[in-house]
Amino acid sequence: MQDTELSPYVDFGKRFTAWAIDTVIVSLFIVCILIVDPELSFIFILMGYIVTEMIYFAGFESSKKQATPGKQTLGIKVTDLEGNRISFGKAVFRYVVKMIAGDTFGIGYLAIIFSKKKQGLHDMAVGSVVVYK
């Protein structure tokens, strides 16, 4: 790639912004559940959040739009290495690896900054990239 060409791969900052938008959306959903039933136990809320977030990310990223609402807002999407839509199974696995990458002091996310295709460990694990639409 020449210096004058723009990279199709999305940088860490834009990906973080999309993640923040999506986290607010999922959190608002959980808050609505708590308003309806404030007596829920902490472990039930935590497990509900994780399952909701996994279905949210995997469902949207494997859909025709290939993007969560946060990613759609920023004009980015998740693809495989050939630009195709990833399967729901790969999207779930991507989410699980992303959770582990985040729980290890974010080390898995540092790869986004240093890798040529701006892939985190979760992207490398399933052969995905985040690109501009």
Side-chain angles (χ1 to χ4, degrees):
M1 182 180 323
Q2 296 177 353
D3 293 335
T4 57
E5 293 179 4
L6 295 176
S7 172
Y9 306 112
V10 180
D11 66 28
F12 180 84
K14 195 161 265 202
R15 290 176 68 162
F16 180 83
T17 302
W19 170 83
I21 293 167
D22 292 323
T23 298
V24 168
I25 293 169
V26 174
S27 296
L28 287 174
F29 177 74
I30 298 299
V31 167
C32 289
I33 292 172
L34 285 172
I35 289 170
V36 172
D37 189 355
E39 301 297 319
L40 294 173
S41 70
F42 174 77
I43 193 71
F44 182 81
I45 295 165
L46 179 62
M47 294 307 295
Y49 185 87
I50 291 169
V51 169
T52 300
E53 191 178 61
M54 180 183 65
I55 292 169
Y56 175 90
F57 279 97
F60 279 116
E61 291 173 351
S62 65
S63 72
K64 281 187 176 185
K65 293 200 182 246
Q66 298 172 260
T68 61
K71 287 181 179 73
Q72 289 175 44
T73 300
L74 297 174
I76 61 179
K77 65 182 180 178
V78 178
T79 72
D80 67 10
L81 297 175
E82 287 79 40
N84 302 308
R85 181 169 64 172
I86 62 172
S87 69
F88 183 76
K90 277 191 173 186
V92 168
F93 186 62
R94 183 176 185 270
Y95 172 80
V96 170
V97 175
K98 188 171 16 172
M99 290 262 313
I100 294 167
D103 289 343
T104 55
F105 306 106
I107 292 170
Y109 296 114
L110 288 177
I112 296 169
I113 297 168
F114 298 108
S115 71
K116 185 175 182 179
K117 294 182 180 179
K118 297 184 178 19
Q119 293 173 290
L121 291 182
H122 54 288
D123 295 311
M124 293 175 195
V126 299
S128 67
V129 289
V130 178
V131 296
Y132 293 96
K133 289 184 178 182

